[in-house]
Amino acid sequence: MYYNRQDIKRILVSEEELAGICDRLAAQMTEDYKDSEHELVFVIVLKGSIFFATDLIRRIPLHCGIEFMKVSSYGKSTQSSGFIAVQLDLKRDITDADVVIIEDIIDSGRTLQKLRDLLLHRGAHSVKCCTLLDKPDRRVVDLEAEYVGEIIPDVFVVGYGLDYDEKYRTLPYVGELDPTVYQN
Ligand code: IMP
Ligand code: MG
């Protein structure tokens, strides 16, 4: 079944802008980590950040590890429950590594705060956060990402990995979902 184009109210970040964001953040990270003595490990938070992470990491010419984690998501709701469970954990030890968590979006900030604390507790040398999108208006905890693709207003967005009820992930851009889709 095709997507209904009318479900997307407007495009917030176009394909060209997404490529520019990846170029900028990749250059910044390459500069920041090129002289590090520690192993660089990217922790990709499934599923929303998959396209962003693959586009980003391919632009970074440094030796690095790629690992995955999955934490509980919104499901059918567009509101954070405040409860975050680790559904898929790392399969390796990250002691002494420079870890960069790659997320799709920071909303309340709870997910990233919990992940950062967990990975630091496991002995990472450093843990930084990289997010494609940031909705600072919605923050309920004190959490700032070191690498931010774009700051967006408080609207529900889909595409380029982000979903609503597992739909719209594969759109090539980030768009605002028309509220009628989830308010009915
Ligand atoms: P937080 O813990 O409230 O910061 O929630 C972050 C997670 O909520 C993200 O990783 C997304 O999975 C989900 N999320 C928050 N806002 C949106 C949105 O606008 N569209 C799709 N998913 C979202
Ligand atoms: Mg997510």
Side-chain angles (χ1 to χ4, degrees):
M1 250 218 289
Y2 286 108
Y3 290 133
N4 184 353
R5 287 242 200 97
Q6 276 140 12
D7 289 353
I8 307 302
K9 210 168 143 188
R10 62 184 165 131
I11 294 178
L12 275 183
V13 194
S14 69
E15 289 186 66
E16 294 71 27
E17 287 167 334
L18 288 166
I21 287 169
C22 291
D23 285 341
R24 171 172 59 84
L25 294 180
Q28 211 179 322
M29 285 185 196
T30 304
E31 191 54 36
D32 291 353
Y33 290 101
K34 67 182 188 339
D35 298 321
S36 173
E37 316 252 287
H38 298 264
E39 185 189 3
L40 176 60
V41 177
F42 290 102
V43 171
I44 299 171
V45 183
L46 298 174
K47 303 174 194 173
S49 67
I50 48 167
F51 300 127
F52 172 49
T54 54
D55 283 345
L56 179 71
I57 296 169
R58 274 183 293 178
R59 288 164 159 89
I60 300 175
L62 304 175
H63 290 294
C64 64
I66 298 176
E67 298 296 325
F68 300 96
M69 284 186 84
K70 191 170 193 293
V71 292
S72 60
S73 69
Y74 282 17
K76 273 197 173 184
S77 165
T78 57
Q79 294 288 310
S80 174
S81 63
F83 175 76
I84 288 142
V86 175
Q87 295 173 338
L88 175 78
D89 208 342
L90 299 178
K91 300 283 186 272
R92 57 160 286 180
D93 180 20
I94 49 144
T95 305
D96 230 24
D98 282 329
V99 173
V100 178
I101 303 172
I102 305 185
E103 251 288 30
D104 50 0
I105 188 164
I106 310 180
D107 192 44
S108 71
R110 288 186 181 111
T111 307
L112 262 184
Q113 190 187 51
K114 165 140 186 182
L115 275 180
R116 170 182 272 174
D117 289 352
L118 180 67
L119 299 181
L120 278 172
H121 183 251
R122 287 182 184 175
H125 171 254
S126 69
V127 179
K128 288 190 184 179
C129 297
C130 173
T131 186
L132 172 64
L133 304 170
D134 190 358
K135 284 190 209 172
D137 295 348
R138 302 255 308 172
R139 203 72 95 254
V140 301
V141 297
D142 185 21
L143 187 282
E144 292 290 329
E146 284 79 4
Y147 305 99
V148 177
E150 190 155 317
I151 292 172
I152 62 163
D154 179 13
V155 294
F156 197 82
V157 294
V158 292
Y160 196 56
L162 290 117
D163 74 305
Y164 168 66
D165 194 19
E166 294 297 326
K167 298 191 199 88
Y168 311 100
R169 261 191 220 288
T170 55
L171 290 174
Y173 51 78
V174 175
E176 178 180 351
L177 188 63
D178 195 301
T180 57
V181 176
Y182 53 85
Q183 277 167 1
N184 291 335

